[in-house]
Amino acid sequence: MNPLSSSTSRPHAEHSPSALKNYEACPSFKGRSGTNPIAEAGTRIHTAIENGDPSLLADEVERSLAEWCLAFLADNRGKKSVNAKLVASHQEVRVEMSVGDFYTYGTSDLVDLYDDGSGVLYDWKTGYGSVEDAEVNVQVQAYAFGVFARFPELRNLDCYLVLPRRGEITYARYARADMERVQLRISTIIARAKESAGKIFNPKEGVCDYCANQGSCKALAEKALLIGSKSGFEVPDNVSLDGTPADRAKLLKLANLLANWCEDTKKELLRQALEEGAEIPGYKLDQRRTPRTIDNPLLGYDAVKDLVSVEEYLLACTRVSMPQLEKFVAERAPRGHKAEAKQHLEDVLRGSGALRDEGVIHLLKPIRS
Ligand code: SF4
């Protein structure tokens, strides 16, 4: 098994520690399933940290992020060892929270326990986003609650949220006595989410963005579409997705207009930051690497033919352009037989099982009158 796939799918509780802040903001929040490239990179980085071996990572950026976290861990453990002895270290700790009538659970990345009754919790945050300070962060508080419950001898817990992409660390110390107020906070969030889901909505930036109800939430549409009416666009009276056909037509027109406006606004603000050094409070200029590719396969093969076989090289060439192949075949065919030659090419490829039809994309296109 690929060592980097060992922790690819941790099951999540409905009101998991990482989702509590969203439920606190809006009790009707609903988590999205599925994954994305940043989450997948996060899983690989976590596994490399867990194994203490960044060299498991092929990507340079991911490797440097894992190294950053491990360097912090080594430094912090070194400082802590001056006054206390590390007696146990738990990775991927399942922490359970029984609060009032409610039960939930989560997974903490790393918990170190020391012989003086203290502990240290580390959580690696490998995405680009910021997080709330550890002093008020409900995810950290939920983990702390679960860790205190799991290790009864523990008196206090230092919690570190480590954000390698942002070069940030946020820290808080919790004592066992703090867990009463933490329990009240967590049980209130879960009770409100259970009782008010579908009744109370509180659209909020940074929460709705991750909500599975985003496309159908009336409260969010009413708030977000204010921008439409302020910009002079026609906003339908009924912004729900099951309004009259006329309302839905207006809604679709508005959605297309706003989508273009969003893209153009983001592009222009990025241009201002890049070219004019403009500062936007709360944001910083950052960069992501795009995948490396070989534009000229012949040149590429010539350069590496002593290192890989032609079969291996072809296996790395993931797609072959059908229009380009058709062009070559048609150029060689006698006049009047080009279409036939192209069809023959397609038949041969299809017969061999090599040709895969592209899927069909559906879209709603305006009818021009
Ligand atoms: S989209 Fe609606 S339900 Fe989801 S978090 Fe926003 S306001 Fe709440």
Side-chain angles (χ1 to χ4, degrees), residues 180-244:
E180 261 180 49
R181 67 178 167 88
V182 167
Q183 172 165 348
L184 181 63
R185 184 179 181 192
I186 296 172
S187 61
T188 305
I189 293 171
I190 299 179
R192 197 165 154 263
K194 281 181 178 278
E195 281 166 26
S196 306
K199 296 178 202 147
I200 295 178
F201 299 85
N202 182 26
K204 198 172 169 198
E205 194 188 332
V207 176
C208 299
D209 316 55
Y210 303 101
C211 178
N213 293 329
Q214 187 182 26
S216 58
C217 176
K218 197 164 176 244
L220 174 63
E222 278 167 356
K223 185 165 178 174
L225 296 182
L226 272 181
I227 192 169
S229 47
K230 283 195 177 162
S231 315
F233 301 139
E234 191 179 8
V235 178
D237 294 337
N238 180 359
V239 292
S240 78
L241 296 175
D242 51 8
T244 65

Side-chain angles (χ1 to χ4, degrees), residues 3-317:
L4 291 184
S5 65
S6 67
S7 59
T8 46
S9 55
R10 298 171 183 171
H12 286 290
E14 186 187 1
H15 300 107
S16 66
S18 58
L20 287 176
K21 90 171 171 46
N22 298 325
Y23 288 110
E24 189 170 42
C26 174
S28 299
F29 172 83
K30 189 170 168 202
R32 284 188 187 147
S33 56
T35 184
N36 60 60
I38 297 299
E40 283 162 14
T43 303
R44 291 191 292 273
I45 297 166
H46 273 78
T47 308
I49 296 171
E50 216 178 305
N51 287 287
D53 187 1
S55 71
L56 291 170
L57 294 160
D59 182 278
E60 285 163 42
V61 174
E62 291 178 16
R63 201 160 49 240
S64 72
L65 297 175
E67 281 164 358
W68 202 86
C69 293
L70 285 167
F72 172 74
L73 177 62
D75 183 59
N76 209 44
R77 279 180 170 165
K79 286 179 187 151
K80 180 89 183 157
S81 68
V82 175
N83 299 315
K85 188 173 160 221
L86 181 65
V87 288
S89 185
H90 301 271
Q91 307 232 44
E92 294 280 303
V93 191
R94 181 175 164 112
V95 280
E96 305 191 1
M97 285 138 271
S98 272
V99 276
D101 294 339
F102 310 117
Y103 168 82
T104 187
Y105 62 87
T107 308
S108 164
D109 290 331
L110 177 61
V111 177
D112 281 350
L113 299 175
Y114 289 84
D115 64 352
D116 63 352
S118 66
V120 185
L121 178 148
Y122 299 90
D123 202 53
W124 319 115
K125 298 283 182 202
T126 54
Y128 288 88
S130 61
V131 294
E132 273 187 326
D133 194 284
E135 291 276 359
V136 290
N137 190 303
V138 70
Q139 181 182 9
V140 170
Q141 293 183 348
Y143 283 157
F145 187 87
V147 170
F148 276 112
R150 179 161 173 173
F151 303 106
E153 72 284 5
L154 194 66
R155 290 205 307 269
N156 56 60
L157 184 67
D158 290 339
C159 299
Y160 291 90
L161 294 178
V162 183
L163 293 80
R165 282 192 206 267
R166 303 174 65 90
E168 292 171 8
I169 291 161
T170 166
Y171 157 81
R173 171 169 290 188
Y174 288 95
R176 191 169 280 279
D178 294 320
M179 292 305 108
E180 261 180 49
R181 67 178 167 88
V182 167
Q183 172 165 348
L184 181 63
R185 184 179 181 192
I186 296 172
S187 61
T188 305
I189 293 171
I190 299 179
R192 197 165 154 263
K194 281 181 178 278
E195 281 166 26
S196 306
K199 296 178 202 147
I200 295 178
F201 299 85
N202 182 26
K204 198 172 169 198
E205 194 188 332
V207 176
C208 299
D209 316 55
Y210 303 101
C211 178
N213 293 329
Q214 187 182 26
S216 58
C217 176
K218 197 164 176 244
L220 174 63
E222 278 167 356
K223 185 165 178 174
L225 296 182
L226 272 181
I227 192 169
S229 47
K230 283 195 177 162
S231 315
F233 301 139
E234 191 179 8
V235 178
D237 294 337
N238 180 359
V239 292
S240 78
L241 296 175
D242 51 8
T244 65
D247 276 346
R248 281 182 285 159
K250 284 181 196 164
L251 206 54
L252 185 57
K253 188 172 179 188
L254 188 60
N256 286 332
L257 283 166
L258 288 180
N260 294 339
W261 175 83
C262 292
E263 278 313 304
D264 291 351
T265 301
K266 285 195 277 188
K267 262 190 226 156
E268 171 56 18
L269 292 175
L270 178 61
R271 187 200 65 74
Q272 289 176 8
L274 280 169
E275 296 175 12
E276 299 166 14
E279 291 201 2
I280 300 176
Y283 290 84
K284 69 172 183 179
L285 199 53
D286 202 350
Q287 58 184 26
R288 288 181 204 172
R289 282 175 194 267
T290 53
R292 293 166 300 166
T293 52
I294 295 171
D295 280 341
N296 185 330
L298 287 178
L299 197 63
Y301 179 67
D302 203 42
V304 300
K305 61 178 184 267
D306 295 337
L307 304 173
V308 293
S309 69
V310 67
E311 288 80 11
E312 287 169 330
Y313 188 78
L314 284 175
L315 281 173
C317 300

